[in-house]
Amino acid sequence: MDKKIKVGILGAGRIGKLHAENVAYRIPMMEIKTIADPYMNEGMEAWARGIGVDNVTKDPQEVFGDPEIDAVLICSSTDTHAEFIMKAAEAGKHIFCEKPVDHDVDQINRALKAVEVAGVKLQIGFVRRFDHNHKKVRDMVQGGKIGAPHTIKITSRDPEPPPIEYVKVSGGLFFDMMIHDFDMARYLSGSEVVEVYAKAAVLIDPAIGEAGDVDTAVVTLQFANGAIGIIDNSRSSTYGYDQRVEVHGSKGCVQDFNDLPSTTILTTKEGVLGDPPKWFFLERYNEAFAEELIAFADAINGDKEPVVNGADGLKPVLIAEAANISLREGRPVRLDEL
Amino acid sequence: MDKKIKVGILGAGRIGKLHAENVAYRIPMMEIKTIADPYMNEGMEAWARGIGVDNVTKDPQEVFGDPEIDAVLICSSTDTHAEFIMKAAEAGKHIFCEKPVDHDVDQINRALKAVEVAGVKLQIGFVRRFDHNHKKVRDMVQGGKIGAPHTIKITSRDPEPPPIEYVKVSGGLFFDMMIHDFDMARYLSGSEVVEVYAKAAVLIDPAIGEAGDVDTAVVTLQFANGAIGIIDNSRSSTYGYDQRVEVHGSKGCVQDFNDLPSTTILTTKEGVLGDPPKWFFLERYNEAFAEELIAFADAINGDKEPVVNGADGLKPVLIAEAANISLREGRPVRLDEL
Amino acid sequence: MDKKIKVGILGAGRIGKLHAENVAYRIPMMEIKTIADPYMNEGMEAWARGIGVDNVTKDPQEVFGDPEIDAVLICSSTDTHAEFIMKAAEAGKHIFCEKPVDHDVDQINRALKAVEVAGVKLQIGFVRRFDHNHKKVRDMVQGGKIGAPHTIKITSRDPEPPPIEYVKVSGGLFFDMMIHDFDMARYLSGSEVVEVYAKAAVLIDPAIGEAGDVDTAVVTLQFANGAIGIIDNSRSSTYGYDQRVEVHGSKGCVQDFNDLPSTTILTTKEGVLGDPPKWFFLERYNEAFAEELIAFADAINGDKEPVVNGADGLKPVLIAEAANISLREGRPVRLDEL
Amino acid sequence: MDKKIKVGILGAGRIGKLHAENVAYRIPMMEIKTIADPYMNEGMEAWARGIGVDNVTKDPQEVFGDPEIDAVLICSSTDTHAEFIMKAAEAGKHIFCEKPVDHDVDQINRALKAVEVAGVKLQIGFVRRFDHNHKKVRDMVQGGKIGAPHTIKITSRDPEPPPIEYVKVSGGLFFDMMIHDFDMARYLSGSEVVEVYAKAAVLIDPAIGEAGDVDTAVVTLQFANGAIGIIDNSRSSTYGYDQRVEVHGSKGCVQDFNDLPSTTILTTKEGVLGDPPKWFFLERYNEAFAEELIAFADAINGDKEPVVNGADGLKPVLIAEAANISLREGRPVRLDEL
């Protein structure tokens, strides 16, 4: 085994804790040196000790300034991402950053520039690329199993809406939720999006509309290679995390289905009853969250370009922006208009 | 059993033969009196005798003028539909007419007016409404199983393109193929389409493009009840007839899958191999074609409004027209613009 | 088309009516001349007229003695089968006979002898061989897709028990119900059964036990080719007709699943709910009942050995007898002991 | 969290390593103090260090004699199990022991006696009870979802045979492989086996027969509660680990299916191709291996009877012995004969 990569974790909210526990229990080639969170408190400290991390702080500088730390995992709020990327890059640390990098394209470009100058690795947390099902779809498309891609369909529906407080600061459905699907569209098609048409509505909770957002959306994508894409999103499936993709091509179709908690079915007069899909992203992408950090470690240890790099962080933001304009103006929007 | 309904069949091409054989072998409450086809020849006559029909003619007037005939099945080319509906109505005969009624809205309205004046039944051949799978989806939506509908998704992909000669006179993908899906969208949503956005491409055969048509299309629909719809069509799935629908609502999701020739699967090191979907509409909608005529007979015998009436024949034509404009002008088109 | 085969139907109970309606509506190469049933009455006559048959009688002799009749369908009670086969054979008529031929081996042998002497076709009504799913399993086994067969598993569970009056005269579960599975075992394995071990119980209704029968059974089979078989039967699945087979071999496994009324599924918080299997044999083997008569007509028209011949009628009876002895004596029984 | 349980691991072969890695990475409430293996060598030491264990030895006494060690995981060869259980019990350590406890019933009883006297916990490694699918089947049976159980069916087929050297010392298919299914039969039925009938053959590799064993087997079980069970085993499915169970009862049926590496399917003209089942027990029962140790830790921390206790270790051995006699003598064998 290569030398263990020492990481500092920035942000110990839900996603930060998830990554920390993965590093602690499932990723032997990494170890946590420090966890920094502005809201660090006793509970968080106890949790950190429980996973074997004694070094906790409110000050991110203790991470950036620590020469022992090889890499940072940026799991803090979106508005800090670009700044932390720049600081980490300047400190010569490899960077894993949660999505989205930022909502502002110029800010993203500044961050990517800093990474380029520093020559460090930057991987963006588009975790779905590491899902066993989606990855196999992509591999089959790449392997020519369906010929040239014609239609890419992505279904992505959350089990239940986030709190309204979250909705208000989320950047909106396209930036917060569909951003993953924009990445998936690029990943599956092997092509770039050139035009976006967005249709959306408030059907689940009027409060979401009052907060200036939508909760149900359908987006049509035109790809550079001629293929057409469709994404449908909902903030509330009610039954669990509905995550399916489908690629139709000149020689056939490849698709995947939801993972289920069990394969067990009960057959009675009422019908055949099976499990609903796994509840949410923590359950569905549980393995994928570990896989993405393993890939990050591999990129560092093998001095390779991360499989989801800075450009992959930028592109979905542009698509989300085009979707917002499309929705506002009721017309298809070309990315080269931006 | 009620008295057998005596029918005259107009047009003995593929679909006319299909209906004739269903009447002959599977629909005890109907019997064929006459089959009229302008291309009537020895082969067609032999086929007619084989199913027990001796009375064949080139002249549709032998059908309209025969007082013994209670109802007509219009299976001739689209350009004759409206005229034949009017003639049949004037002759006081009930009418089953294949889709689409016509490509011209005024012509359709004239035909519907004639039907209204005559007080005869008119049923349009939107056969998919009688499919066991789609019907169960609709029943569940109607029965409130998924609450209010939010997103309606329709996948409809033919196994292989029709001959170019057919493409040239087909009226285009939206009128010829997606017309069924426009009907399905109304059927599943229980609501009317108010706006259409069409995206399409020529990805399968350049000759289709040269003929002025597209072969791959994605259409977004806005329904009056707030729901959003998406339809994806392809002229060539390569693997069979891909016919699936999915309705997501405030309480869950109902969807169906393709029918397969068998449930048999082979498991080897290479994987689990099952049958591809049934090849085309004759296989998939085999039962539904009988069911729609049984429903037509029931409407006649029970003096009830047909389940797919004249208005149901008109609406999808309007949606198809809006889709054509949308595609041409690259913008969403409201039906009230038409 | 060959000349229509004129058939006489003996017995117009549930299965006789089924075959009669199939001949009337779905099998163009056959037509019914006469229907004979000892309980012929007004209701039965009305039903016969409804399917276009005017010639009805209580006397089977009107069938055997009619020189216009080419073939008989024996759908009467089991105790008349052998006698009717002999009479039909003597009259030079081809014979389709429902299963089982008889419970008495000597009687069966006499009937088969008469058929051989007369040189007529005899097909036994093991309808499941014509099921689209089971047939594909068999074809795959025969085609070498799984190599040499090692284990054959047959699940066959009725939705609900027959009336106790029927149980009493049924000949018992092995003769009445599992007889189909014994045929299926031979069909799938391509080998003969040499030993039988039966385990059974009364778990559903004590009245079945009081009638001297069992309602739940598991039978192990040893085949001549070395393979091992298992059959499980129940008189009451409660949820529908459970009919699945599975063949494991040196290169893989082929299996089938139940046919469902629809592919539609409802997904809610409670789970994914689909249709239970088709209710019973009339629904599941609906197509197969037509297919077996088409095969019978083909055997007659093409002067070919029927695909389920007299020997195929005898063998399952021997296996059923061995199963009865095994159950009584609590030990495996070899067929060469009989 | 409770204080971490310090464990000593006895045996660092495939299964010992698996448990050790689980403790190291996935089970926070346990930590490894010592790993003992008679073949301890440099490679094994390096592996141990890699998972953070420095304390390795050839001498099991270093485990039994270490007062810091709370519990042992016995992962050594079967012939040492009973002795190690007794030694651990005498040393007051809780015991997790891999299956089977022993092939000799007296020896097992002595071990269980020692455990009882010492008042320590003993859990047997019937890992399948912790599988998400089987567990849900069991929960549904226990929860009355299918009423009274009538038929229990267990399919258990390995992907490929073990090396002949292993076959020779394995104790035979019933002790080595079907022992898991005997446990599963008790687990699912909630009842005890009272009679066994075994049918088996050498169909995969004659060398297995020469080694005195069989490679394909079907066993019928009679349960005390009246239900009937069937188990089918094969040493070579060729396509992966086939692990399915099915329980039919008075109100319906519950069953499970294999876990697949992905839900992804490819549809082409050749059909629908999906993944074969996960390859073997390491893949299929990956989570279950962690779950069983978590349950063991819970039993220790909560001072509860382990969910798979000593009696559960003994019973399947008795059933295996009955199966061996049945196979040898060609007759059903009652457990009270033993």
Side-chain angles (χ1 to χ4, degrees), chain B residues 114-130:
Chain B
V115 168
E116 195 191 336
V117 167
V120 294
K121 310 293 179 200
L122 168 63
Q123 183 174 321
I124 307 301
F126 283 124
V127 65
R128 295 184 194 177
R129 292 193 181 208
F130 299 89

mmCIF file with all atom_site columns, all heavy atoms in Angstrom, chain B residues 114-130:
data_model
loop_
_atom_site.group_PDB
_atom_site.id
_atom_site.type_symbol
_atom_site.label_atom_id
_atom_site.label_alt_id
_atom_site.label_comp_id
_atom_site.label_asym_id
_atom_site.label_entity_id
_atom_site.label_seq_id
_atom_site.pdbx_PDB_ins_code
_atom_site.Cartn_x
_atom_site.Cartn_y
_atom_site.Cartn_z
_atom_site.occupancy
_atom_site.B_iso_or_equiv
_atom_site.pdbx_formal_charge
_atom_site.auth_seq_id
_atom_site.auth_comp_id
_atom_site.auth_asym_id
_atom_site.auth_atom_id
_atom_site.pdbx_PDB_model_num
ATOM 1   N N   . ALA B 1 114 ? -70.995 16.275 -38.977 1.00 0.00 ? 114 ALA B N   1
ATOM 2   C CA  . ALA B 1 114 ? -71.853 15.301 -39.660 1.00 0.00 ? 114 ALA B CA  1
ATOM 3   C C   . ALA B 1 114 ? -72.276 14.177 -38.719 1.00 0.00 ? 114 ALA B C   1
ATOM 4   O O   . ALA B 1 114 ? -73.423 13.718 -38.726 1.00 0.00 ? 114 ALA B O   1
ATOM 5   C CB  . ALA B 1 114 ? -71.133 14.735 -40.884 1.00 0.00 ? 114 ALA B CB  1
ATOM 6   N N   . VAL B 1 115 ? -71.333 13.741 -37.911 1.00 0.00 ? 115 VAL B N   1
ATOM 7   C CA  . VAL B 1 115 ? -71.628 12.674 -36.938 1.00 0.00 ? 115 VAL B CA  1
ATOM 8   C C   . VAL B 1 115 ? -72.671 13.147 -35.933 1.00 0.00 ? 115 VAL B C   1
ATOM 9   O O   . VAL B 1 115 ? -73.628 12.434 -35.604 1.00 0.00 ? 115 VAL B O   1
ATOM 10  C CB  . VAL B 1 115 ? -70.326 12.240 -36.214 1.00 0.00 ? 115 VAL B CB  1
ATOM 11  C CG1 . VAL B 1 115 ? -70.639 11.360 -35.009 1.00 0.00 ? 115 VAL B CG1 1
ATOM 12  C CG2 . VAL B 1 115 ? -69.404 11.517 -37.196 1.00 0.00 ? 115 VAL B CG2 1
ATOM 13  N N   . GLU B 1 116 ? -72.475 14.372 -35.472 1.00 0.00 ? 116 GLU B N   1
ATOM 14  C CA  . GLU B 1 116 ? -73.378 14.932 -34.475 1.00 0.00 ? 116 GLU B CA  1
ATOM 15  C C   . GLU B 1 116 ? -74.796 15.032 -35.048 1.00 0.00 ? 116 GLU B C   1
ATOM 16  O O   . GLU B 1 116 ? -75.777 14.642 -34.407 1.00 0.00 ? 116 GLU B O   1
ATOM 17  C CB  . GLU B 1 116 ? -72.871 16.317 -34.066 1.00 0.00 ? 116 GLU B CB  1
ATOM 18  C CG  . GLU B 1 116 ? -73.521 16.837 -32.797 1.00 0.00 ? 116 GLU B CG  1
ATOM 19  C CD  . GLU B 1 116 ? -73.191 18.316 -32.591 1.00 0.00 ? 116 GLU B CD  1
ATOM 20  O OE1 . GLU B 1 116 ? -72.153 18.785 -33.113 1.00 0.00 ? 116 GLU B OE1 1
ATOM 21  O OE2 . GLU B 1 116 ? -73.991 18.993 -31.920 1.00 0.00 ? 116 GLU B OE2 1
ATOM 22  N N   . VAL B 1 117 ? -74.877 15.578 -36.250 1.00 0.00 ? 117 VAL B N   1
ATOM 23  C CA  . VAL B 1 117 ? -76.176 15.734 -36.896 1.00 0.00 ? 117 VAL B CA  1
ATOM 24  C C   . VAL B 1 117 ? -76.873 14.393 -37.067 1.00 0.00 ? 117 VAL B C   1
ATOM 25  O O   . VAL B 1 117 ? -78.062 14.241 -36.794 1.00 0.00 ? 117 VAL B O   1
ATOM 26  C CB  . VAL B 1 117 ? -75.992 16.436 -38.269 1.00 0.00 ? 117 VAL B CB  1
ATOM 27  C CG1 . VAL B 1 117 ? -77.268 16.330 -39.106 1.00 0.00 ? 117 VAL B CG1 1
ATOM 28  C CG2 . VAL B 1 117 ? -75.592 17.891 -38.058 1.00 0.00 ? 117 VAL B CG2 1
ATOM 29  N N   . ALA B 1 118 ? -76.104 13.399 -37.490 1.00 0.00 ? 118 ALA B N   1
ATOM 30  C CA  . ALA B 1 118 ? -76.698 12.087 -37.762 1.00 0.00 ? 118 ALA B CA  1
ATOM 31  C C   . ALA B 1 118 ? -77.029 11.321 -36.478 1.00 0.00 ? 118 ALA B C   1
ATOM 32  O O   . ALA B 1 118 ? -77.822 10.372 -36.494 1.00 0.00 ? 118 ALA B O   1
ATOM 33  C CB  . ALA B 1 118 ? -75.768 11.264 -38.634 1.00 0.00 ? 118 ALA B CB  1
ATOM 34  N N   . GLY B 1 119 ? -76.388 11.718 -35.390 1.00 0.00 ? 119 GLY B N   1
ATOM 35  C CA  . GLY B 1 119 ? -76.632 11.018 -34.124 1.00 0.00 ? 119 GLY B CA  1
ATOM 36  C C   . GLY B 1 119 ? -76.088 9.600  -34.105 1.00 0.00 ? 119 GLY B C   1
ATOM 37  O O   . GLY B 1 119 ? -76.594 8.731  -33.383 1.00 0.00 ? 119 GLY B O   1
ATOM 38  N N   . VAL B 1 120 ? -75.059 9.342  -34.898 1.00 0.00 ? 120 VAL B N   1
ATOM 39  C CA  . VAL B 1 120 ? -74.436 8.003  -34.876 1.00 0.00 ? 120 VAL B CA  1
ATOM 40  C C   . VAL B 1 120 ? -73.240 8.007  -33.929 1.00 0.00 ? 120 VAL B C   1
ATOM 41  O O   . VAL B 1 120 ? -72.777 9.061  -33.488 1.00 0.00 ? 120 VAL B O   1
ATOM 42  C CB  . VAL B 1 120 ? -73.991 7.577  -36.300 1.00 0.00 ? 120 VAL B CB  1
ATOM 43  C CG1 . VAL B 1 120 ? -75.222 7.395  -37.208 1.00 0.00 ? 120 VAL B CG1 1
ATOM 44  C CG2 . VAL B 1 120 ? -73.013 8.581  -36.898 1.00 0.00 ? 120 VAL B CG2 1
ATOM 45  N N   . LYS B 1 121 ? -72.765 6.809  -33.595 1.00 0.00 ? 121 LYS B N   1
ATOM 46  C CA  . LYS B 1 121 ? -71.574 6.687  -32.753 1.00 0.00 ? 121 LYS B CA  1
ATOM 47  C C   . LYS B 1 121 ? -70.322 6.831  -33.617 1.00 0.00 ? 121 LYS B C   1
ATOM 48  O O   . LYS B 1 121 ? -70.279 6.294  -34.732 1.00 0.00 ? 121 LYS B O   1
ATOM 49  C CB  . LYS B 1 121 ? -71.512 5.297  -32.101 1.00 0.00 ? 121 LYS B CB  1
ATOM 50  C CG  . LYS B 1 121 ? -72.771 4.844  -31.411 1.00 0.00 ? 121 LYS B CG  1
ATOM 51  C CD  . LYS B 1 121 ? -73.058 5.685  -30.196 1.00 0.00 ? 121 LYS B CD  1
ATOM 52  C CE  . LYS B 1 121 ? -74.366 5.224  -29.528 1.00 0.00 ? 121 LYS B CE  1
ATOM 53  N NZ  . LYS B 1 121 ? -74.915 6.300  -28.666 1.00 0.00 ? 121 LYS B NZ  1
ATOM 54  N N   . LEU B 1 122 ? -69.338 7.514  -33.076 1.00 0.00 ? 122 LEU B N   1
ATOM 55  C CA  . LEU B 1 122 ? -68.039 7.574  -33.745 1.00 0.00 ? 122 LEU B CA  1
ATOM 56  C C   . LEU B 1 122 ? -66.957 7.209  -32.725 1.00 0.00 ? 122 LEU B C   1
ATOM 57  O O   . LEU B 1 122 ? -66.848 7.870  -31.685 1.00 0.00 ? 122 LEU B O   1
ATOM 58  C CB  . LEU B 1 122 ? -67.772 8.983  -34.291 1.00 0.00 ? 122 LEU B CB  1
ATOM 59  C CG  . LEU B 1 122 ? -66.321 9.249  -34.770 1.00 0.00 ? 122 LEU B CG  1
ATOM 60  C CD1 . LEU B 1 122 ? -65.942 8.352  -35.944 1.00 0.00 ? 122 LEU B CD1 1
ATOM 61  C CD2 . LEU B 1 122 ? -66.158 10.722 -35.156 1.00 0.00 ? 122 LEU B CD2 1
ATOM 62  N N   . GLN B 1 123 ? -66.215 6.175  -33.048 1.00 0.00 ? 123 GLN B N   1
ATOM 63  C CA  . GLN B 1 123 ? -65.085 5.828  -32.177 1.00 0.00 ? 123 GLN B CA  1
ATOM 64  C C   . GLN B 1 123 ? -63.797 5.926  -32.983 1.00 0.00 ? 123 GLN B C   1
ATOM 65  O O   . GLN B 1 123 ? -63.725 5.474  -34.125 1.00 0.00 ? 123 GLN B O   1
ATOM 66  C CB  . GLN B 1 123 ? -65.250 4.416  -31.592 1.00 0.00 ? 123 GLN B CB  1
ATOM 67  C CG  . GLN B 1 123 ? -64.112 4.052  -30.626 1.00 0.00 ? 123 GLN B CG  1
ATOM 68  C CD  . GLN B 1 123 ? -64.315 2.721  -29.921 1.00 0.00 ? 123 GLN B CD  1
ATOM 69  O OE1 . GLN B 1 123 ? -65.427 2.363  -29.531 1.00 0.00 ? 123 GLN B OE1 1
ATOM 70  N NE2 . GLN B 1 123 ? -63.240 1.965  -29.767 1.00 0.00 ? 123 GLN B NE2 1
ATOM 71  N N   . ILE B 1 124 ? -62.766 6.546  -32.374 1.00 0.00 ? 124 ILE B N   1
ATOM 72  C CA  . ILE B 1 124 ? -61.480 6.705  -33.052 1.00 0.00 ? 124 ILE B CA  1
ATOM 73  C C   . ILE B 1 124 ? -60.531 5.579  -32.601 1.00 0.00 ? 124 ILE B C   1
ATOM 74  O O   . ILE B 1 124 ? -60.529 5.209  -31.432 1.00 0.00 ? 124 ILE B O   1
ATOM 75  C CB  . ILE B 1 124 ? -60.854 8.078  -32.726 1.00 0.00 ? 124 ILE B CB  1
ATOM 76  C CG1 . ILE B 1 124 ? -61.870 9.205  -33.022 1.00 0.00 ? 124 ILE B CG1 1
ATOM 77  C CG2 . ILE B 1 124 ? -59.554 8.295  -33.512 1.00 0.00 ? 124 ILE B CG2 1
ATOM 78  C CD1 . ILE B 1 124 ? -62.343 9.264  -34.451 1.00 0.00 ? 124 ILE B CD1 1
ATOM 79  N N   . GLY B 1 125 ? -59.710 5.094  -33.517 1.00 0.00 ? 125 GLY B N   1
ATOM 80  C CA  . GLY B 1 125 ? -58.875 3.921  -33.243 1.00 0.00 ? 125 GLY B CA  1
ATOM 81  C C   . GLY B 1 125 ? -57.618 4.187  -32.435 1.00 0.00 ? 125 GLY B C   1
ATOM 82  O O   . GLY B 1 125 ? -56.531 3.745  -32.845 1.00 0.00 ? 125 GLY B O   1
ATOM 83  N N   . PHE B 1 126 ? -57.750 4.863  -31.310 1.00 0.00 ? 126 PHE B N   1
ATOM 84  C CA  . PHE B 1 126 ? -56.593 4.999  -30.415 1.00 0.00 ? 126 PHE B CA  1
ATOM 85  C C   . PHE B 1 126 ? -56.519 3.741  -29.548 1.00 0.00 ? 126 PHE B C   1
ATOM 86  O O   . PHE B 1 126 ? -56.945 3.710  -28.393 1.00 0.00 ? 126 PHE B O   1
ATOM 87  C CB  . PHE B 1 126 ? -56.680 6.279  -29.587 1.00 0.00 ? 126 PHE B CB  1
ATOM 88  C CG  . PHE B 1 126 ? -56.323 7.507  -30.378 1.00 0.00 ? 126 PHE B CG  1
ATOM 89  C CD1 . PHE B 1 126 ? -57.196 8.570  -30.483 1.00 0.00 ? 126 PHE B CD1 1
ATOM 90  C CD2 . PHE B 1 126 ? -55.092 7.588  -31.036 1.00 0.00 ? 126 PHE B CD2 1
ATOM 91  C CE1 . PHE B 1 126 ? -56.861 9.710  -31.221 1.00 0.00 ? 126 PHE B CE1 1
ATOM 92  C CE2 . PHE B 1 126 ? -54.752 8.723  -31.775 1.00 0.00 ? 126 PHE B CE2 1
ATOM 93  C CZ  . PHE B 1 126 ? -55.638 9.773  -31.876 1.00 0.00 ? 126 PHE B CZ  1
ATOM 94  N N   . VAL B 1 127 ? -55.951 2.734  -30.154 1.00 0.00 ? 127 VAL B N   1
ATOM 95  C CA  . VAL B 1 127 ? -55.994 1.371  -29.614 1.00 0.00 ? 127 VAL B CA  1
ATOM 96  C C   . VAL B 1 127 ? -55.269 1.230  -28.281 1.00 0.00 ? 127 VAL B C   1
ATOM 97  O O   . VAL B 1 127 ? -55.612 0.372  -27.466 1.00 0.00 ? 127 VAL B O   1
ATOM 98  C CB  . VAL B 1 127 ? -55.425 0.391  -30.664 1.00 0.00 ? 127 VAL B CB  1
ATOM 99  C CG1 . VAL B 1 127 ? -53.944 0.656  -30.911 1.00 0.00 ? 127 VAL B CG1 1
ATOM 100 C CG2 . VAL B 1 127 ? -55.647 -1.045 -30.242 1.00 0.00 ? 127 VAL B CG2 1
ATOM 101 N N   . ARG B 1 128 ? -54.289 2.095  -28.072 1.00 0.00 ? 128 ARG B N   1
ATOM 102 C CA  . ARG B 1 128 ? -53.477 1.908  -26.865 1.00 0.00 ? 128 ARG B CA  1
ATOM 103 C C   . ARG B 1 128 ? -54.268 2.102  -25.577 1.00 0.00 ? 128 ARG B C   1
ATOM 104 O O   . ARG B 1 128 ? -53.863 1.648  -24.522 1.00 0.00 ? 128 ARG B O   1
ATOM 105 C CB  . ARG B 1 128 ? -52.297 2.883  -26.881 1.00 0.00 ? 128 ARG B CB  1
ATOM 106 C CG  . ARG B 1 128 ? -51.363 2.586  -28.022 1.00 0.00 ? 128 ARG B CG  1
ATOM 107 C CD  . ARG B 1 128 ? -50.156 3.475  -27.988 1.00 0.00 ? 128 ARG B CD  1
ATOM 108 N NE  . ARG B 1 128 ? -49.465 3.391  -29.263 1.00 0.00 ? 128 ARG B NE  1
ATOM 109 C CZ  . ARG B 1 128 ? -48.400 4.100  -29.586 1.00 0.00 ? 128 ARG B CZ  1
ATOM 110 N NH1 . ARG B 1 128 ? -47.908 4.941  -28.705 1.00 0.00 ? 128 ARG B NH1 1
ATOM 111 N NH2 . ARG B 1 128 ? -47.841 3.969  -30.768 1.00 0.00 ? 128 ARG B NH2 1
ATOM 112 N N   . ARG B 1 129 ? -55.360 2.841  -25.673 1.00 0.00 ? 129 ARG B N   1
ATOM 113 C CA  . ARG B 1 129 ? -56.201 3.003  -24.476 1.00 0.00 ? 129 ARG B CA  1
ATOM 114 C C   . ARG B 1 129 ? -56.754 1.673  -23.983 1.00 0.00 ? 129 ARG B C   1
ATOM 115 O O   . ARG B 1 129 ? -57.218 1.596  -22.846 1.00 0.00 ? 129 ARG B O   1
ATOM 116 C CB  . ARG B 1 129 ? -57.389 3.913  -24.794 1.00 0.00 ? 129 ARG B CB  1
ATOM 117 C CG  . ARG B 1 129 ? -57.019 5.352  -25.068 1.00 0.00 ? 129 ARG B CG  1
ATOM 118 C CD  . ARG B 1 129 ? -58.267 6.192  -25.049 1.00 0.00 ? 129 ARG B CD  1
ATOM 119 N NE  . ARG B 1 129 ? -57.975 7.590  -25.323 1.00 0.00 ? 129 ARG B NE  1
ATOM 120 C CZ  . ARG B 1 129 ? -58.702 8.605  -24.879 1.00 0.00 ? 129 ARG B CZ  1
ATOM 121 N NH1 . ARG B 1 129 ? -59.793 8.358  -24.157 1.00 0.00 ? 129 ARG B NH1 1
ATOM 122 N NH2 . ARG B 1 129 ? -58.395 9.832  -25.164 1.00 0.00 ? 129 ARG B NH2 1
ATOM 123 N N   . PHE B 1 130 ? -56.731 0.674  -24.866 1.00 0.00 ? 130 PHE B N   1
ATOM 124 C CA  . PHE B 1 130 ? -57.308 -0.624 -24.510 1.00 0.00 ? 130 PHE B CA  1
ATOM 125 C C   . PHE B 1 130 ? -56.245 -1.634 -24.118 1.00 0.00 ? 130 PHE B C   1
ATOM 126 O O   . PHE B 1 130 ? -56.536 -2.780 -23.834 1.00 0.00 ? 130 PHE B O   1
ATOM 127 C CB  . PHE B 1 130 ? -58.158 -1.138 -25.685 1.00 0.00 ? 130 PHE B CB  1
ATOM 128 C CG  . PHE B 1 130 ? -59.287 -0.209 -26.013 1.00 0.00 ? 130 PHE B CG  1
ATOM 129 C CD1 . PHE B 1 130 ? -59.127 0.825  -26.922 1.00 0.00 ? 130 PHE B CD1 1
ATOM 130 C CD2 . PHE B 1 130 ? -60.497 -0.338 -25.354 1.00 0.00 ? 130 PHE B CD2 1
ATOM 131 C CE1 . PHE B 1 130 ? -60.158 1.712  -27.192 1.00 0.00 ? 130 PHE B CE1 1
ATOM 132 C CE2 . PHE B 1 130 ? -61.540 0.543  -25.619 1.00 0.00 ? 130 PHE B CE2 1
ATOM 133 C CZ  . PHE B 1 130 ? -61.369 1.576  -26.542 1.00 0.00 ? 130 PHE B CZ  1
#
